[in-house]
């Protein structure tokens, strides 16, 4: 994601930080997004598709956006 790359890899004062605050995102919903990026047993479902897709767009996670769109088309 270009958003995460910018946050973690740009040459700035935040580069060496071990923690980053991500505002305006509910913890549980962000964990759902991370579980899609780093696959666990969490599949797309009617209960999570809306917030995962919204966060994927917010953080520009293109693979998750494509997978979510495929899920919606096939549902």
């Amino acid at each position: 994601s270009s958003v995460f790359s910018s946050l973690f890899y740009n040459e700035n004062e935040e580069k060496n930080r071990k923690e980053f605050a991500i505002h305006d995102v509910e913890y549980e919903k962000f964990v759902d997004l991370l579980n899609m990026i780093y696959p666990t047993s969490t599949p797309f479902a009617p209960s999570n598709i809306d917030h995962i897709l919204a966060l994927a767009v917010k953080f520009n996670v293109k693979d998750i956006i494509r997978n979510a769109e495929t899920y919606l088309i096939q549902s």
Side-chain angles (χ1 to χ4, degrees):
S1 149
S2 60
V3 175
F4 292 132
S5 290
S6 153
L7 184 63
F8 299 132
Y9 300 114
N10 274 349
E11 294 295 328
N12 58 36
E13 63 188 47
E14 294 186 345
K15 180 181 179 183
N16 296 320
R17 291 182 60 186
K18 293 182 181 188
E19 293 183 8
F20 293 85
I22 299 181
H23 304 284
D24 302 326
V25 176
E26 292 178 37
Y27 172 80
E28 294 81 10
K29 292 179 179 180
F30 191 71
V31 168
D32 283 346
L33 176 66
L34 292 177
N35 284 332
M36 293 292 167
I37 295 171
Y38 302 102
T40 62
S41 60
T42 305
F44 286 115
S47 62
N48 68 16
I49 189 67
D50 290 337
H51 68 263
I52 289 174
L53 181 55
L55 290 175
V57 169
K58 177 177 179 140
F59 293 105
N60 194 29
V61 186
K62 293 177 184 177
D63 288 340
I64 302 301
I65 294 169
R66 276 191 298 274
N67 292 343
E69 290 171 342
T70 300
Y71 170 83
L72 289 169
I73 290 168
Q74 294 174 350
S75 298

